[in-house]
Amino acid sequence: MSNFKVLPILDPEAAGAVAPCCPPLTERPLTAEEAEQTARMFKALGDPVRLRLFSLVASHEGGEACVCDISDVGVSQPTVSHHLKKLKEAGLLTSERRGTWVYYRVEPSVLAAMGRLLTSAALN
Amino acid sequence: MSNFKVLPILDPEAAGAVAPCCPPLTERPLTAEEAEQTARMFKALGDPVRLRLFSLVASHEGGEACVCDISDVGVSQPTVSHHLKKLKEAGLLTSERRGTWVYYRVEPSVLAAMGRLLTSAALN
């Protein structure tokens, strides 16, 4: 029998977490890998309905919302669910099931990193 | 003859400028119109090659670059031109022809507004 013990490797992407990325845009060009990761987040916000839903969650009481809180965006509840899932996959929202509903909240560290990316660029 | 004089109406969109939009995402949900306008900018940054090109322009000496300055992103010069044009159409870059080349530079006010949108959301 071997004495080796295989330790689990923590894979942040598999765990659903996305490391905030990258230096301010004015500092240096993004690498292909950094651009790949960051573009995924911008793309998730690049759809009007999705962006509106994101602002609904971000501005909702307590900083979280479930599909049951969202009714006035002009799309069906399954479509709302689909978009919220996409925002979660991009690392912009986290979710937690409580009873019947899944509650979504914004991921502040990722948002802050994206904001820094743009704001610092604008200040230089 | 009428004494009325029709004054020209300044239409920022027609002039190529895009008014920075909107309140921080935690303040209130975006309206459909605000989301439409803002999503266009996020969408433009939602492509890895385009985001990388954008960072190349933003970090280039003097804050501007032409296609002639860009060579190492793994796509052809016509593709680079196409992407820079898309970024301009989204209101993220401005351009100026000087001799043979068109020089692109980042639009700081728009970037700052996008950064504020996200950073403020993260701070609340």
Side-chain angles (χ1 to χ4, degrees):
Chain A
M1 204 175 115
S2 165
N3 274 332
F4 278 107
K5 197 173 163 185
V6 179
L7 291 170
I9 294 166
L10 185 65
D11 179 347
E13 280 207 29
V18 179
C21 167
C22 308
L25 289 176
T26 46
E27 211 172 282
R28 62 161 173 78
L30 297 182
T31 66
E33 203 181 327
E34 287 168 345
E36 195 77 46
Q37 185 193 339
T38 310
R40 206 178 308 142
M41 296 182 186
F42 283 124
K43 192 178 176 185
L45 297 177
D47 175 272
V49 174
R50 208 145 56 214
L51 179 59
R52 217 172 150 208
L53 287 171
F54 184 74
S55 74
L56 270 159
V57 174
S59 64
H60 201 262
E61 215 184 310
E64 65 172 17
C66 68
V67 176
C68 56
D69 293 318
I70 298 166
S71 59
D72 57 349
V73 287
V75 294
S76 69
Q77 212 171 72
T79 304
V80 170
S81 291
H82 167 79
H83 281 308
L84 292 176
K85 217 177 134 212
K86 287 275 169 194
L87 288 165
K88 189 190 165 186
E89 281 167 11
L92 291 164
L93 294 179
T94 55
S95 73
E96 190 193 337
R97 178 173 283 278
R98 291 207 294 276
T100 315
W101 301 103
V102 178
Y103 286 81
Y104 289 90
R105 59 170 53 243
V106 294
E107 186 43 69
S109 64
V110 174
L111 270 191
M114 287 177 82
R116 213 161 38 234
L117 195 79
L118 298 170
T119 308
S120 303
L123 291 176
N124 283 4
Chain B
M1 205 176 114
S2 165
N3 274 333
F4 278 107
K5 197 174 162 185
V6 178
L7 292 170
I9 294 165
L10 185 62
D11 179 348
E13 281 208 25
V18 179
C21 168
C22 307
L25 290 177
T26 46
E27 210 172 283
R28 62 160 175 79
L30 298 182
T31 65
E33 202 181 326
E34 287 169 346
E36 194 77 46
Q37 184 192 340
T38 311
R40 207 179 305 142
M41 296 180 186
F42 283 125
K43 192 179 177 184
L45 297 177
D47 175 272
V49 174
R50 207 144 59 213
L51 180 59
R52 214 170 155 210
L53 287 171
F54 185 74
S55 74
L56 270 159
V57 173
S59 64
H60 200 262
E61 215 184 311
E64 64 172 19
C66 68
V67 176
C68 57
D69 294 317
I70 297 167
S71 58
D72 56 350
V73 285
V75 293
S76 69
Q77 212 170 72
T79 303
V80 170
S81 291
H82 167 80
H83 281 306
L84 291 176
K85 218 177 133 212
K86 287 276 170 194
L87 288 165
K88 189 190 164 184
E89 282 167 9
L92 292 164
L93 295 179
T94 55
S95 73
E96 191 192 339
R97 177 171 285 279
R98 292 207 295 276
T100 315
W101 299 104
V102 178
Y103 286 80
Y104 289 90
R105 60 170 53 242
V106 293
E107 185 44 69
S109 65
V110 174
L111 269 192
M114 287 176 82
R116 213 159 40 233
L117 195 78
L118 297 170
T119 308
S120 303
L123 291 177
N124 283 5

